[in-house]
Amino acid sequence: MSVILKTDKLRVEYRSRELGQAVKVALNGLDLEVSTGEVFGFLGPNGAGKTTTINCLLGFVQPTSGAASLFGIDVRQPIARQRIGYLPEMTYYYKFLTGEELLRFYASIFALTGAEADKRIDQTLKLVELDAARKRLIKTYSKGMQQRVGLAQALINNPDLLILDEPTSGLDPLGRMKVRDIIQRLKNEGKTVFFSSHELGEVETVCDRVAIIAEGSLKAAGRVQEIMRGHPTLEKAFLNIIGYQADKN
């Protein structure tokens, strides 16, 4: 399988606002490789550098040093991002639009018009199980429905790589199950999915491989079963890898 996403010694520094600390290191020499057709889970505690990594891949943040590429093309080149779909952790959509109108707007961004746009809108709404709600205003959607219409907009250009930042955040068990099912269907279609998550049960269920980072550094990477070796659950393995010590008092 070819490598579709790669970071090489990726480092990001921010000017710190903390007294006596001139620089804050968000990423410290991060090396990642994701292959075509994988569902890859990107794990870490809050502040570990997951969103910074995603922002580098999307070109929102420039690395201090190192490199990142998509499809073998440096992420600083706009062409590298034409074949990806992105779902941010916090989705803000025009809630006075219907689901269908929102997707038509995003289709126009990718120069999809006429019958081609109609086809993609129909396909994505059916995939995320929102076809029956396509004429409803987004402001009437539940949290789970809003997350799924977010997935639909990320898929409107039929991307080869889907980048999701906490796709099940704030969802109830049914909502998480539906998102998990969508990811599984995308995997069956040969799509590559890279997503960050705190829902380790979801990751354990759908991911081929995972990477765990803490304090901006890679702590472990490999197949889920390899990461879990010697631990009953991925959660236990995760806590051990990041060095979490439970308070015994």
Side-chain angles (χ1 to χ4, degrees), residues 99-168:
E100 181 178 337
E101 288 169 339
L102 178 76
L103 294 188
R104 197 166 297 282
F105 169 72
Y106 279 97
S108 68
I109 292 175
F110 289 98
L112 298 174
T113 57
E116 186 179 11
D118 291 341
K119 179 181 178 181
R120 287 301 304 160
I121 290 168
D122 289 344
Q123 288 174 337
T124 52
L125 284 172
K126 287 174 182 175
L127 176 65
V128 302
E129 299 181 8
L130 286 176
D131 194 43
R134 63 192 298 157
K135 300 293 187 183
R136 283 174 51 186
L137 296 178
I138 293 174
K139 69 179 181 180
T140 70
Y141 283 10
S142 67
K143 168 69 174 174
M145 293 170 72
Q146 289 186 25
Q147 198 74 344
R148 281 184 281 139
V149 82
L151 272 171
Q153 67 80 19
L155 292 165
I156 196 67
N157 60 322
N158 195 23
D160 296 308
L161 170 65
L162 197 62
I163 298 177
L164 313 176
D165 194 356
E166 299 288 349
T168 59

